[in-house]
Amino acid sequence: MKEIMLSSEKIFDGRIIKLRKDEIITEKGIKQSREVVSHGGGAAVLVAKDGKILLERQFRYPYGEILWEIPAGKRDEGEDFAETAKRELEEETGYVAGKLVKLFEVYPTPGYTNEIIGIFKAEGLKKGVLHFDEDEDITSEWIPEEKVFEMVENGEIKDGKTLIALLWYKAEKFRREEKPARKEKPARKEKTV
């Protein structure tokens, strides 16, 4: 199933993404082209407190829509996922996490990009300093959990990283609250021969 690159041609070298066209050969000996969007990756932060989840609203140009998302942003070159998460959380929401717990990494669109997003959970929030990038226009809102999951069901939340983080959150909450009590196993009866 492995594919081996034979050659690579740079098509575009932008500020956020790079595009290349690779010629590859499969294990079966079939030659193909692969268009790859290279992206430095990013980090996203799930923030939940007192039965509410912190969501942001931001206009996303490629879709021409205002989307609901968890706080997130792209990594600077050489930056660790946790550094990105910490920076973006404070810049976009004005909160600093006492502790960031890395939950997992996601590959948002593996068919054409190598982007990786580190998903974190924030604990122990403190007030920090809100300071958007000059091209950002973001509003943050604490929304009750029930409402957030209604928004998911109604298709109001469409962002992939946000949906994945919320799915994890709901599953984790279910595991904590619904953990079945361990039942004592009856003593094994010995068979006599």
Side-chain angles (χ1 to χ4, degrees):
M1 295 180 79
K2 190 172 180 178
E3 298 177 347
I4 298 169
M5 183 175 60
L6 302 173
S7 64
S8 185
E9 174 189 0
K10 187 189 314 182
I11 307 293
F12 176 76
D13 190 1
R15 184 174 62 89
I16 296 173
I17 64 164
K18 297 172 183 358
L19 174 62
R20 69 178 198 263
K21 183 177 179 182
D22 294 348
E23 298 301 321
I24 62 100
I25 188 165
T26 68
E27 282 187 359
K28 294 179 180 177
I30 300 168
K31 291 184 180 181
Q32 292 283 317
S33 294
R34 298 284 184 252
E35 295 169 353
V36 179
V37 175
S38 291
H39 186 285
V45 185
L46 175 67
V47 185
K49 181 180 174 184
D50 301 327
K52 295 181 179 178
I53 296 174
L54 185 62
L55 293 179
E56 301 178 340
R57 287 175 48 88
Q58 182 175 185
F59 181 78
R60 291 300 195 172
Y61 180 80
Y63 296 102
E65 292 180 40
I66 296 171
L67 298 182
W68 287 101
E69 303 175 47
I70 59 175
K74 66 179 175 48
R75 288 189 326 169
D76 291 338
E77 191 171 330
E79 189 175 45
D80 179 78
F81 284 113
E83 292 173 50
T84 305
K86 179 182 176 186
R87 175 176 46 78
E88 291 293 334
L89 179 64
E90 184 174 11
E91 282 180 7
E92 295 182 356
T93 69
Y95 288 106
V96 175
K99 181 179 177 184
L100 282 171
V101 178
K102 188 170 185 183
L103 302 176
F104 46 82
E105 294 178 0
V106 296
Y107 296 178
T109 317
Y112 63 84
T113 182
N114 63 358
E115 181 183 10
I116 300 172
I117 300 174
I119 308 284
F120 291 80
K121 178 178 74 163
E123 296 177 353
L125 290 182
K126 300 172 198 156
K127 268 308 213 183
V129 180
L130 186 69
H131 49 98
F132 299 123
D133 292 339
E134 70 177 27
D135 64 339
E136 290 180 318
D137 186 9
I138 300 170
T139 58
S140 297
E141 192 175 329
W142 287 98
I143 302 176
E145 288 177 21
E146 281 184 28
K147 173 70 175 158
V148 169
F149 290 104
E150 284 175 21
M151 293 166 71
V152 169
E153 290 174 20
N154 296 333
E156 294 175 65
I157 298 177
K158 300 174 184 176
D159 175 63
K161 67 187 174 300
T162 300
L163 290 168
I164 292 166
L166 291 172
L167 175 64
W168 175 89
Y169 179 78
K170 193 165 191 168
E172 184 63 21
K173 189 172 181 178
F174 178 79
R175 275 193 294 274
R176 282 193 318 263
E177 293 174 357
E178 301 294 326
K179 203 174 216 178
R182 280 195 151 164
K183 294 181 180 177
E184 288 291 320
K185 290 184 180 179
R188 240 172 91 177
K189 293 184 180 178
E190 297 289 329
K191 288 185 181 179
T192 30
V193 181

PDB file of all heavy atoms in Angstrom, residues 31-61:
ATOM      1  N   LYS A  31       2.279   4.260 -11.846  1.00  0.00           N
ATOM      2  CA  LYS A  31       2.725   5.641 -11.675  1.00  0.00           C
ATOM      3  C   LYS A  31       1.506   6.555 -11.668  1.00  0.00           C
ATOM      4  O   LYS A  31       0.594   6.395 -12.467  1.00  0.00           O
ATOM      5  CB  LYS A  31       3.689   6.042 -12.786  1.00  0.00           C
ATOM      6  CG  LYS A  31       5.017   5.311 -12.692  1.00  0.00           C
ATOM      7  CD  LYS A  31       5.993   5.794 -13.737  1.00  0.00           C
ATOM      8  CE  LYS A  31       7.312   5.038 -13.603  1.00  0.00           C
ATOM      9  NZ  LYS A  31       8.292   5.486 -14.585  1.00  0.00           N
ATOM     10  N   GLN A  32       1.521   7.499 -10.724  1.00  0.00           N
ATOM     11  CA  GLN A  32       0.418   8.443 -10.547  1.00  0.00           C
ATOM     12  C   GLN A  32       0.978   9.803 -10.144  1.00  0.00           C
ATOM     13  O   GLN A  32       2.150   9.923  -9.783  1.00  0.00           O
ATOM     14  CB  GLN A  32      -0.520   7.977  -9.421  1.00  0.00           C
ATOM     15  CG  GLN A  32      -1.307   6.733  -9.705  1.00  0.00           C
ATOM     16  CD  GLN A  32      -2.475   7.016 -10.632  1.00  0.00           C
ATOM     17  OE1 GLN A  32      -3.182   7.990 -10.486  1.00  0.00           O
ATOM     18  NE2 GLN A  32      -2.659   6.134 -11.610  1.00  0.00           N
ATOM     19  N   SER A  33       0.116  10.812 -10.171  1.00  0.00           N
ATOM     20  CA  SER A  33       0.442  12.142  -9.657  1.00  0.00           C
ATOM     21  C   SER A  33      -0.322  12.360  -8.364  1.00  0.00           C
ATOM     22  O   SER A  33      -1.451  11.890  -8.223  1.00  0.00           O
ATOM     23  CB  SER A  33       0.028  13.227 -10.656  1.00  0.00           C
ATOM     24  OG  SER A  33       0.776  13.141 -11.827  1.00  0.00           O
ATOM     25  N   ARG A  34       0.280  13.091  -7.434  1.00  0.00           N
ATOM     26  CA  ARG A  34      -0.372  13.469  -6.189  1.00  0.00           C
ATOM     27  C   ARG A  34      -0.169  14.968  -5.996  1.00  0.00           C
ATOM     28  O   ARG A  34       0.959  15.452  -6.019  1.00  0.00           O
ATOM     29  CB  ARG A  34       0.204  12.728  -4.980  1.00  0.00           C
ATOM     30  CG  ARG A  34       0.043  11.228  -5.027  1.00  0.00           C
ATOM     31  CD  ARG A  34      -1.383  10.807  -4.706  1.00  0.00           C
ATOM     32  NE  ARG A  34      -1.498   9.374  -4.663  1.00  0.00           N
ATOM     33  CZ  ARG A  34      -2.112   8.643  -5.591  1.00  0.00           C
ATOM     34  NH1 ARG A  34      -2.644   9.220  -6.656  1.00  0.00           N
ATOM     35  NH2 ARG A  34      -2.190   7.331  -5.464  1.00  0.00           N
ATOM     36  N   GLU A  35      -1.265  15.695  -5.839  1.00  0.00           N
ATOM     37  CA  GLU A  35      -1.185  17.110  -5.507  1.00  0.00           C
ATOM     38  C   GLU A  35      -1.278  17.225  -3.993  1.00  0.00           C
ATOM     39  O   GLU A  35      -2.219  16.706  -3.393  1.00  0.00           O
ATOM     40  CB  GLU A  35      -2.315  17.875  -6.192  1.00  0.00           C
ATOM     41  CG  GLU A  35      -2.180  17.846  -7.704  1.00  0.00           C
ATOM     42  CD  GLU A  35      -3.407  18.370  -8.430  1.00  0.00           C
ATOM     43  OE1 GLU A  35      -4.445  18.637  -7.764  1.00  0.00           O
ATOM     44  OE2 GLU A  35      -3.329  18.489  -9.655  1.00  0.00           O
ATOM     45  N   VAL A  36      -0.301  17.882  -3.384  1.00  0.00           N
ATOM     46  CA  VAL A  36      -0.215  17.933  -1.923  1.00  0.00           C
ATOM     47  C   VAL A  36      -0.160  19.385  -1.454  1.00  0.00           C
ATOM     48  O   VAL A  36       0.678  20.160  -1.896  1.00  0.00           O
ATOM     49  CB  VAL A  36       1.041  17.186  -1.413  1.00  0.00           C
ATOM     50  CG1 VAL A  36       1.135  17.269   0.116  1.00  0.00           C
ATOM     51  CG2 VAL A  36       1.053  15.745  -1.888  1.00  0.00           C
ATOM     52  N   VAL A  37      -1.071  19.717  -0.538  1.00  0.00           N
ATOM     53  CA  VAL A  37      -1.049  21.017   0.115  1.00  0.00           C
ATOM     54  C   VAL A  37      -0.270  20.833   1.414  1.00  0.00           C
ATOM     55  O   VAL A  37      -0.690  20.077   2.292  1.00  0.00           O
ATOM     56  CB  VAL A  37      -2.484  21.518   0.417  1.00  0.00           C
ATOM     57  CG1 VAL A  37      -2.439  22.817   1.220  1.00  0.00           C
ATOM     58  CG2 VAL A  37      -3.270  21.706  -0.874  1.00  0.00           C
ATOM     59  N   SER A  38       0.863  21.514   1.525  1.00  0.00           N
ATOM     60  CA  SER A  38       1.662  21.462   2.754  1.00  0.00           C
ATOM     61  C   SER A  38       1.207  22.599   3.669  1.00  0.00           C
ATOM     62  O   SER A  38       1.081  23.739   3.231  1.00  0.00           O
ATOM     63  CB  SER A  38       3.144  21.626   2.455  1.00  0.00           C
ATOM     64  OG  SER A  38       3.628  20.502   1.774  1.00  0.00           O
ATOM     65  N   HIS A  39       0.967  22.239   4.914  1.00  0.00           N
ATOM     66  CA  HIS A  39       0.481  23.199   5.901  1.00  0.00           C
ATOM     67  C   HIS A  39       1.218  22.933   7.203  1.00  0.00           C
ATOM     68  O   HIS A  39       1.393  21.783   7.587  1.00  0.00           O
ATOM     69  CB  HIS A  39      -1.032  23.009   6.084  1.00  0.00           C
ATOM     70  CG  HIS A  39      -1.670  24.027   6.966  1.00  0.00           C
ATOM     71  ND1 HIS A  39      -1.543  24.023   8.331  1.00  0.00           N
ATOM     72  CD2 HIS A  39      -2.452  25.085   6.652  1.00  0.00           C
ATOM     73  CE1 HIS A  39      -2.221  25.049   8.828  1.00  0.00           C
ATOM     74  NE2 HIS A  39      -2.787  25.703   7.841  1.00  0.00           N
ATOM     75  N   GLY A  40       1.628  23.967   7.886  1.00  0.00           N
ATOM     76  CA  GLY A  40       2.401  23.833   9.129  1.00  0.00           C
ATOM     77  C   GLY A  40       1.637  23.290  10.310  1.00  0.00           C
ATOM     78  O   GLY A  40       2.214  23.011  11.352  1.00  0.00           O
ATOM     79  N   GLY A  41       0.330  23.133  10.170  1.00  0.00           N
ATOM     80  CA  GLY A  41      -0.471  22.578  11.259  1.00  0.00           C
ATOM     81  C   GLY A  41      -0.965  23.639  12.214  1.00  0.00           C
ATOM     82  O   GLY A  41      -0.720  24.834  12.030  1.00  0.00           O
ATOM     83  N   GLY A  42      -1.662  23.191  13.220  1.00  0.00           N
ATOM     84  CA  GLY A  42      -2.234  24.121  14.178  1.00  0.00           C
ATOM     85  C   GLY A  42      -2.624  23.432  15.455  1.00  0.00           C
ATOM     86  O   GLY A  42      -2.366  22.241  15.654  1.00  0.00           O
ATOM     87  N   ALA A  43      -3.258  24.193  16.324  1.00  0.00           N
ATOM     88  CA  ALA A  43      -3.727  23.655  17.598  1.00  0.00           C
ATOM     89  C   ALA A  43      -5.097  24.252  17.895  1.00  0.00           C
ATOM     90  O   ALA A  43      -5.399  25.372  17.487  1.00  0.00           O
ATOM     91  CB  ALA A  43      -2.754  23.995  18.716  1.00  0.00           C
ATOM     92  N   ALA A  44      -5.910  23.477  18.597  1.00  0.00           N
ATOM     93  CA  ALA A  44      -7.243  23.905  18.990  1.00  0.00           C
ATOM     94  C   ALA A  44      -7.444  23.555  20.456  1.00  0.00           C
ATOM     95  O   ALA A  44      -6.864  22.587  20.951  1.00  0.00           O
ATOM     96  CB  ALA A  44      -8.293  23.224  18.124  1.00  0.00           C
ATOM     97  N   VAL A  45      -8.285  24.347  21.134  1.00  0.00           N
ATOM     98  CA  VAL A  45      -8.443  24.182  22.573  1.00  0.00           C
ATOM     99  C   VAL A  45      -9.923  24.074  22.940  1.00  0.00           C
ATOM    100  O   VAL A  45     -10.708  24.981  22.655  1.00  0.00           O
ATOM    101  CB  VAL A  45      -7.817  25.362  23.354  1.00  0.00           C
ATOM    102  CG1 VAL A  45      -7.886  25.105  24.856  1.00  0.00           C
ATOM    103  CG2 VAL A  45      -6.389  25.609  22.910  1.00  0.00           C
ATOM    104  N   LEU A  46     -10.270  22.982  23.573  1.00  0.00           N
ATOM    105  CA  LEU A  46     -11.610  22.776  24.115  1.00  0.00           C
ATOM    106  C   LEU A  46     -11.632  23.380  25.516  1.00  0.00           C
ATOM    107  O   LEU A  46     -10.816  23.003  26.367  1.00  0.00           O
ATOM    108  CB  LEU A  46     -11.928  21.284  24.175  1.00  0.00           C
ATOM    109  CG  LEU A  46     -13.241  20.893  24.830  1.00  0.00           C
ATOM    110  CD1 LEU A  46     -14.425  21.374  24.005  1.00  0.00           C
ATOM    111  CD2 LEU A  46     -13.313  19.390  25.012  1.00  0.00           C
ATOM    112  N   VAL A  47     -12.557  24.322  25.728  1.00  0.00           N
ATOM    113  CA  VAL A  47     -12.661  24.984  27.030  1.00  0.00           C
ATOM    114  C   VAL A  47     -14.078  24.756  27.550  1.00  0.00           C
ATOM    115  O   VAL A  47     -15.046  25.210  26.940  1.00  0.00           O
ATOM    116  CB  VAL A  47     -12.380  26.497  26.914  1.00  0.00           C
ATOM    117  CG1 VAL A  47     -12.361  27.138  28.295  1.00  0.00           C
ATOM    118  CG2 VAL A  47     -11.074  26.763  26.169  1.00  0.00           C
ATOM    119  N   ALA A  48     -14.195  24.028  28.658  1.00  0.00           N
ATOM    120  CA  ALA A  48     -15.492  23.747  29.276  1.00  0.00           C
ATOM    121  C   ALA A  48     -15.412  24.108  30.755  1.00  0.00           C
ATOM    122  O   ALA A  48     -14.420  23.810  31.421  1.00  0.00           O
ATOM    123  CB  ALA A  48     -15.843  22.276  29.106  1.00  0.00           C
ATOM    124  N   LYS A  49     -16.469  24.781  31.229  1.00  0.00           N
ATOM    125  CA  LYS A  49     -16.464  25.215  32.632  1.00  0.00           C
ATOM    126  C   LYS A  49     -17.897  25.439  33.081  1.00  0.00           C
ATOM    127  O   LYS A  49     -18.675  26.100  32.385  1.00  0.00           O
ATOM    128  CB  LYS A  49     -15.659  26.520  32.742  1.00  0.00           C
ATOM    129  CG  LYS A  49     -15.536  27.072  34.126  1.00  0.00           C
ATOM    130  CD  LYS A  49     -14.717  28.351  34.080  1.00  0.00           C
ATOM    131  CE  LYS A  49     -14.719  28.989  35.461  1.00  0.00           C
ATOM    132  NZ  LYS A  49     -14.031  30.261  35.475  1.00  0.00           N
ATOM    133  N   ASP A  50     -18.244  24.881  34.225  1.00  0.00           N
ATOM    134  CA  ASP A  50     -19.557  25.105  34.835  1.00  0.00           C
ATOM    135  C   ASP A  50     -20.714  24.800  33.884  1.00  0.00           C
ATOM    136  O   ASP A  50     -21.674  25.571  33.793  1.00  0.00           O
ATOM    137  CB  ASP A  50     -19.673  26.548  35.360  1.00  0.00           C
ATOM    138  CG  ASP A  50     -18.600  26.883  36.396  1.00  0.00           C
ATOM    139  OD1 ASP A  50     -18.207  25.968  37.161  1.00  0.00           O
ATOM    140  OD2 ASP A  50     -18.139  28.042  36.435  1.00  0.00           O
ATOM    141  N   GLY A  51     -20.603  23.701  33.153  1.00  0.00           N
ATOM    142  CA  GLY A  51     -21.687  23.292  32.259  1.00  0.00           C
ATOM    143  C   GLY A  51     -21.785  24.088  30.973  1.00  0.00           C
ATOM    144  O   GLY A  51     -22.781  23.998  30.251  1.00  0.00           O
ATOM    145  N   LYS A  52     -20.741  24.874  30.662  1.00  0.00           N
ATOM    146  CA  LYS A  52     -20.739  25.675  29.437  1.00  0.00           C
ATOM    147  C   LYS A  52     -19.458  25.409  28.654  1.00  0.00           C
ATOM    148  O   LYS A  52     -18.442  25.021  29.221  1.00  0.00           O
ATOM    149  CB  LYS A  52     -20.840  27.164  29.760  1.00  0.00           C
ATOM    150  CG  LYS A  52     -22.162  27.532  30.404  1.00  0.00           C
ATOM    151  CD  LYS A  52     -22.232  29.013  30.678  1.00  0.00           C
ATOM    152  CE  LYS A  52     -23.588  29.349  31.308  1.00  0.00           C
ATOM    153  NZ  LYS A  52     -23.681  30.756  31.639  1.00  0.00           N
ATOM    154  N   ILE A  53     -19.543  25.631  27.351  1.00  0.00           N
ATOM    155  CA  ILE A  53     -18.391  25.449  26.459  1.00  0.00           C
ATOM    156  C   ILE A  53     -18.123  26.769  25.761  1.00  0.00           C
ATOM    157  O   ILE A  53     -19.053  27.449  25.307  1.00  0.00           O
ATOM    158  CB  ILE A  53     -18.663  24.318  25.439  1.00  0.00           C
ATOM    159  CG1 ILE A  53     -18.834  22.986  26.193  1.00  0.00           C
ATOM    160  CG2 ILE A  53     -17.543  24.234  24.408  1.00  0.00           C
ATOM    161  CD1 ILE A  53     -19.250  21.820  25.331  1.00  0.00           C
ATOM    162  N   LEU A  54     -16.850  27.135  25.680  1.00  0.00           N
ATOM    163  CA  LEU A  54     -16.455  28.383  25.039  1.00  0.00           C
ATOM    164  C   LEU A  54     -16.314  28.165  23.538  1.00  0.00           C
ATOM    165  O   LEU A  54     -15.497  27.359  23.098  1.00  0.00           O
ATOM    166  CB  LEU A  54     -15.133  28.887  25.629  1.00  0.00           C
ATOM    167  CG  LEU A  54     -14.647  30.248  25.144  1.00  0.00           C
ATOM    168  CD1 LEU A  54     -15.644  31.350  25.511  1.00  0.00           C
ATOM    169  CD2 LEU A  54     -13.276  30.558  25.741  1.00  0.00           C
ATOM    170  N   LEU A  55     -17.153  28.852  22.770  1.00  0.00           N
ATOM    171  CA  LEU A  55     -17.094  28.777  21.314  1.00  0.00           C
ATOM    172  C   LEU A  55     -16.856  30.163  20.736  1.00  0.00           C
ATOM    173  O   LEU A  55     -17.204  31.176  21.348  1.00  0.00           O
ATOM    174  CB  LEU A  55     -18.390  28.207  20.729  1.00  0.00           C
ATOM    175  CG  LEU A  55     -18.710  26.749  21.022  1.00  0.00           C
ATOM    176  CD1 LEU A  55     -20.045  26.367  20.383  1.00  0.00           C
ATOM    177  CD2 LEU A  55     -17.606  25.821  20.525  1.00  0.00           C
ATOM    178  N   GLU A  56     -16.266  30.173  19.552  1.00  0.00           N
ATOM    179  CA  GLU A  56     -16.018  31.420  18.840  1.00  0.00           C
ATOM    180  C   GLU A  56     -16.833  31.454  17.551  1.00  0.00           C
ATOM    181  O   GLU A  56     -17.129  30.414  16.973  1.00  0.00           O
ATOM    182  CB  GLU A  56     -14.536  31.520  18.444  1.00  0.00           C
ATOM    183  CG  GLU A  56     -13.586  31.471  19.587  1.00  0.00           C
ATOM    184  CD  GLU A  56     -12.140  31.529  19.142  1.00  0.00           C
ATOM    185  OE1 GLU A  56     -11.826  31.243  17.963  1.00  0.00           O
ATOM    186  OE2 GLU A  56     -11.316  31.843  20.000  1.00  0.00           O
ATOM    187  N   ARG A  57     -17.128  32.669  17.130  1.00  0.00           N
ATOM    188  CA  ARG A  57     -17.754  32.886  15.820  1.00  0.00           C
ATOM    189  C   ARG A  57     -16.765  33.690  14.994  1.00  0.00           C
ATOM    190  O   ARG A  57     -16.237  34.700  15.455  1.00  0.00           O
ATOM    191  CB  ARG A  57     -19.062  33.645  15.954  1.00  0.00           C
ATOM    192  CG  ARG A  57     -20.167  32.791  16.535  1.00  0.00           C
ATOM    193  CD  ARG A  57     -21.446  33.558  16.783  1.00  0.00           C
ATOM    194  NE  ARG A  57     -21.919  34.387  15.701  1.00  0.00           N
ATOM    195  CZ  ARG A  57     -22.727  33.995  14.709  1.00  0.00           C
ATOM    196  NH1 ARG A  57     -23.163  32.755  14.674  1.00  0.00           N
ATOM    197  NH2 ARG A  57     -23.121  34.819  13.768  1.00  0.00           N
ATOM    198  N   GLN A  58     -16.540  33.197  13.767  1.00  0.00           N
ATOM    199  CA  GLN A  58     -15.565  33.844  12.905  1.00  0.00           C
ATOM    200  C   GLN A  58     -15.966  33.642  11.449  1.00  0.00           C
ATOM    201  O   GLN A  58     -16.368  32.544  11.066  1.00  0.00           O
ATOM    202  CB  GLN A  58     -14.182  33.226  13.176  1.00  0.00           C
ATOM    203  CG  GLN A  58     -13.068  33.821  12.402  1.00  0.00           C
ATOM    204  CD  GLN A  58     -11.709  33.265  12.803  1.00  0.00           C
ATOM    205  OE1 GLN A  58     -10.713  33.729  12.322  1.00  0.00           O
ATOM    206  NE2 GLN A  58     -11.636  32.272  13.670  1.00  0.00           N
ATOM    207  N   PHE A  59     -15.849  34.688  10.649  1.00  0.00           N
ATOM    208  CA  PHE A  59     -16.127  34.559   9.221  1.00  0.00           C
ATOM    209  C   PHE A  59     -14.984  33.786   8.581  1.00  0.00           C
ATOM    210  O   PHE A  59     -13.814  34.102   8.781  1.00  0.00           O
ATOM    211  CB  PHE A  59     -16.251  35.941   8.560  1.00  0.00           C
ATOM    212  CG  PHE A  59     -16.556  35.862   7.092  1.00  0.00           C
ATOM    213  CD1 PHE A  59     -17.848  35.594   6.656  1.00  0.00           C
ATOM    214  CD2 PHE A  59     -15.553  36.035   6.139  1.00  0.00           C
ATOM    215  CE1 PHE A  59     -18.143  35.513   5.296  1.00  0.00           C
ATOM    216  CE2 PHE A  59     -15.839  35.949   4.787  1.00  0.00           C
ATOM    217  CZ  PHE A  59     -17.133  35.690   4.364  1.00  0.00           C
ATOM    218  N   ARG A  60     -15.345  32.747   7.828  1.00  0.00           N
ATOM    219  CA  ARG A  60     -14.342  31.937   7.126  1.00  0.00           C
ATOM    220  C   ARG A  60     -14.534  32.123   5.628  1.00  0.00           C
ATOM    221  O   ARG A  60     -15.495  31.659   5.035  1.00  0.00           O
ATOM    222  CB  ARG A  60     -14.464  30.466   7.527  1.00  0.00           C
ATOM    223  CG  ARG A  60     -14.062  30.210   8.962  1.00  0.00           C
ATOM    224  CD  ARG A  60     -12.632  30.602   9.236  1.00  0.00           C
ATOM    225  NE  ARG A  60     -12.139  30.047  10.492  1.00  0.00           N
ATOM    226  CZ  ARG A  60     -10.889  30.121  10.877  1.00  0.00           C
ATOM    227  NH1 ARG A  60     -10.000  30.735  10.133  1.00  0.00           N
ATOM    228  NH2 ARG A  60     -10.519  29.586  12.024  1.00  0.00           N
ATOM    229  N   TYR A  61     -13.597  32.843   5.029  1.00  0.00           N
ATOM    230  CA  TYR A  61     -13.696  33.249   3.630  1.00  0.00           C
ATOM    231  C   TYR A  61     -13.917  32.094   2.648  1.00  0.00           C
ATOM    232  O   TYR A  61     -14.780  32.196   1.771  1.00  0.00           O
ATOM    233  CB  TYR A  61     -12.454  34.063   3.241  1.00  0.00           C
ATOM    234  CG  TYR A  61     -12.489  34.506   1.807  1.00  0.00           C
ATOM    235  CD1 TYR A  61     -13.238  35.609   1.426  1.00  0.00           C
ATOM    236  CD2 TYR A  61     -11.790  33.797   0.826  1.00  0.00           C
ATOM    237  CE1 TYR A  61     -13.297  36.011   0.096  1.00  0.00           C
ATOM    238  CE2 TYR A  61     -11.854  34.193  -0.497  1.00  0.00           C
ATOM    239  CZ  TYR A  61     -12.600  35.293  -0.862  1.00  0.00           C
ATOM    240  OH  TYR A  61     -12.661  35.674  -2.162  1.00  0.00           O
TER     241      TYR A  61
END
